[in-house]
Amino acid sequence: MMIYKSISTQTLQRLPMYLNYLKSLPDNQILNISATTIAEALKFNDVQVRKDLAIISSGGRPKIGYITKNLIFDIEKFLGYDDADSAVIAGAGDLGRTLLSYDGFSKYGLDIIAAFDVREDIIGTTINGKKVLSSDKLKDLCGRMKVRIGIIAVPASEAQEICNSMVESGILAIWNFAPVNLNVPDSVLVQNEDMAFSLAKLSKSLSKKLCLN
Amino acid sequence: MMIYKSISTQTLQRLPMYLNYLKSLPDNQILNISATTIAEALKFNDVQVRKDLAIISSGGRPKIGYITKNLIFDIEKFLGYDDADSAVIAGAGDLGRTLLSYDGFSKYGLDIIAAFDVREDIIGTTINGKKVLSSDKLKDLCGRMKVRIGIIAVPASEAQEICNSMVESGILAIWNFAPVNLNVPDSVLVQNEDMAFSLAKLSKSLSKKLCLN
DNA sequence: TAGATTGTTAATCGATTAACAATC
DNA sequence: TAGATTGTTAATCGATTAACAATC
């Protein structure tokens, strides 16, 4: 197993952007790419790009740059896209359905094995090939299948309860789309997917821009 | 108009968390709250919380803290939740529908006035009270209504084209949910909503945690 | 009064950027 | 060779944390 240097959130944030950019290049036409080119395209500092790439790749060559194909492979490998984690999702409403079909999470190394909901009319249906089961079964199934990641896409009012079931079943990380502060033991990792924050960032940048113009 | 000090992305990121926490407190029972309490609940440093709050509020009182009600008001005001921006959304598929109904963006100061799609069977329907119109009409409507924010929730392959229409119509900021790098003039602000990054962060933290245990 | 809390100033830490030698 | 590019070391910048006086 390859050991990586420790990585900052900032770098981790940029890696998917590099990947995205590299993949947007015309297939097989750009065999080599320089950190300078990437930096210009994404409006980053070139040394920053080089430092980021140093963490995950075996390096480029002066005057030539990096081998595009290898770089894509190395970033994907670092991000764990090659080695899927299994997950379940609670809530098969609009948001849940979106997540179940959003550009195939499997591409990103996340294998959603089932969805759970409380609504009788949804239980038993299939979304994007995944069965929707009764929420009662969550604890049992996750325990047996050793699922490590739970995704919460239920209304805010039900989020804590479903979170408790997940924690009891032994889930280690929770990706929370409900706008609530979940209470979990320290051993469980929670990542809040914060629409409110994203929107705040957008509208702040916009109003700042308008002030300057 | 109140003038705020300039604010870092980090602080901006935490403000919605404070708001969320404050709103989760039992109504009218906790009249005053200290930065220390907030910091403990959210696992931040207390000085950091105090500095953040100093930017947006008129201050607390030693030994007592801040007036909860006012703090909520001040954060909402700062984030612009009181003063809605109008927006349109392109793409009324699963993702678009989720966004049209996601906990009412209106609460966050975003007023989505219409959705656009190319699919004949969806055009003319109403989602959460918003009309779905033909994408052909986007440019005209946004221009006339002086819409400033466009949300892109179409498949990656169609994103650039719809983005171009938005830019031509005079939209100033684009909230992009499609996993592509959009090409826009410098005058237009793009914020990518990056599922891939969120997922990367989650799975990296998880694997780091597992290594340590 | 005593002690909790605020807000500010100074110290620390970490990320970004600049400078530059090494390489192809 | 000349010049573009890498990767490293040092300088800068900004955010977080520590220390502490002021206040209720």
Side-chain angles (χ1 to χ4, degrees):
Chain A
M1 183 195 159
M2 182 157 176
I3 304 292
Y4 297 107
K5 284 184 228 173
S6 79
I7 184 177
S8 71
T9 314
Q10 284 85 337
T11 296
L12 190 52
Q13 196 148 178
R14 286 186 295 264
L15 288 175
M17 303 188 206
Y18 301 145
L19 185 58
N20 196 43
Y21 170 72
L22 293 171
K23 285 185 155 180
S24 77
L25 299 173
D27 269 354
N28 297 319
Q29 288 192 27
I30 297 162
L31 297 179
N32 292 286
I33 190 144
S34 74
T36 318
T37 310
I38 299 176
E40 266 168 27
L42 299 176
K43 289 170 191 152
F44 293 146
N45 177 290
D46 63 323
V47 179
Q48 188 174 63
V49 174
R50 235 168 267 125
K51 284 206 167 166
D52 288 343
L53 297 184
I55 297 173
I56 53 101
S57 96
S58 51
R61 288 162 69 199
K63 180 134 180 180
I64 291 164
Y66 302 79
I67 300 169
T68 313
K69 192 164 55 67
N70 293 4
L71 205 49
I72 291 176
F73 180 84
D74 289 340
I75 298 177
E76 289 191 331
K77 179 158 184 176
F78 180 83
L79 293 175
Y81 290 0
D82 59 337
D83 162 35
D85 251 323
S86 57
V88 294
I89 182 165
D94 276 333
L95 177 57
R97 268 210 307 283
T98 305
L99 294 172
L100 282 164
S101 42
Y102 192 68
D103 224 45
F105 274 123
S106 59
K107 228 174 59 182
Y108 300 128
L110 191 76
D111 180 22
I112 301 180
I113 61 172
F116 296 90
D117 207 299
V118 290
R119 282 165 296 175
E120 291 296 339
D121 55 325
I122 299 181
I123 294 171
T125 61
T126 296
I127 299 167
N128 197 28
K130 326 286 188 192
K131 263 264 158 74
V132 180
L133 307 171
S134 162
S135 294
D136 300 337
K137 304 208 168 116
L138 187 148
K139 215 174 347 181
D140 176 54
L141 185 123
C142 294
R144 278 193 296 115
M145 305 281 281
K146 302 226 180 301
V147 173
R148 303 196 305 173
I149 297 179
I151 305 172
I152 294 186
V154 300
S157 57
E158 295 165 29
Q160 184 62 58
E161 197 187 341
I162 209 85
C163 169
N164 295 345
S165 304
M166 286 181 172
V167 170
E168 285 170 40
S169 81
I171 271 179
L172 298 173
I174 290 175
W175 198 9
N176 176 37
F177 286 80
V180 283
N181 225 46
L182 294 174
N183 252 308
V184 296
D186 281 349
S187 63
V188 175
L189 199 89
V190 174
Q191 181 169 303
N192 295 300
E193 193 60 36
D194 202 335
M195 273 320 187
F197 158 59
S198 301
L199 188 54
K201 208 165 65 172
L202 181 73
S203 65
K204 265 297 143 193
S205 323
L206 183 58
S207 64
K208 194 192 278 176
K209 205 165 82 81
L210 294 176
C211 282
L212 297 177
N213 291 350
Chain B
M1 184 193 158
M2 183 156 174
I3 305 291
Y4 296 106
K5 283 185 230 174
S6 78
I7 185 177
S8 71
T9 315
Q10 284 85 337
T11 296
L12 190 52
Q13 195 147 179
R14 286 186 296 264
L15 288 175
M17 303 188 205
Y18 301 146
L19 186 58
N20 196 42
Y21 169 72
L22 293 171
K23 284 184 157 180
S24 76
L25 298 173
D27 268 354
N28 297 316
Q29 287 193 28
I30 296 161
L31 297 179
N32 292 285
I33 191 145
S34 73
T36 319
T37 310
I38 298 176
E40 266 167 28
L42 299 176
K43 288 170 192 150
F44 293 146
N45 178 290
D46 62 324
V47 181
Q48 187 174 62
V49 174
R50 234 169 267 125
K51 284 205 167 165
D52 287 344
L53 297 184
I55 297 173
I56 54 101
S57 96
S58 50
R61 288 161 69 199
K63 182 133 179 176
I64 291 162
Y66 302 78
I67 300 169
T68 313
K69 189 164 57 66
N70 294 3
L71 206 48
I72 291 176
F73 180 85
D74 289 340
I75 298 176
E76 290 191 329
K77 176 153 189 187
F78 180 82
L79 293 175
Y81 290 1
D82 59 336
D83 163 33
D85 252 322
S86 57
V88 294
I89 181 164
D94 276 334
L95 177 58
R97 269 210 306 283
T98 305
L99 294 172
L100 282 164
S101 41
Y102 193 69
D103 223 47
F105 273 124
S106 59
K107 230 174 60 182
Y108 300 127
L110 191 76
D111 180 20
I112 301 181
I113 61 172
F116 295 90
D117 207 300
V118 289
R119 281 166 296 176
E120 292 294 339
D121 55 325
I122 299 182
I123 294 171
T125 62
T126 297
I127 299 167
N128 195 29
K130 326 284 187 194
K131 263 266 160 70
V132 180
L133 306 171
S134 162
S135 294
D136 301 338
K137 303 208 168 116
L138 188 148
K139 213 171 353 179
D140 176 56
L141 186 123
C142 292
R144 278 192 297 114
M145 306 281 282
K146 303 223 181 302
V147 173
R148 304 197 304 172
I149 297 179
I151 305 172
I152 294 186
V154 299
S157 57
E158 295 165 29
Q160 184 63 57
E161 197 188 341
I162 210 86
C163 168
N164 294 346
S165 304
M166 286 181 173
V167 169
E168 285 169 37
S169 81
I171 271 179
L172 298 172
I174 290 175
W175 198 7
N176 176 35
F177 286 80
V180 283
N181 225 46
L182 294 173
N183 252 308
V184 295
D186 281 349
S187 62
V188 174
L189 199 89
V190 174
Q191 180 168 302
N192 294 301
E193 193 60 36
D194 202 336
M195 273 321 186
F197 158 60
S198 300
L199 188 55
K201 209 166 64 171
L202 182 73
S203 64
K204 266 295 142 194
S205 322
L206 184 58
S207 65
K208 194 193 278 176
K209 204 165 83 79
L210 294 175
C211 283
L212 298 176
N213 290 351

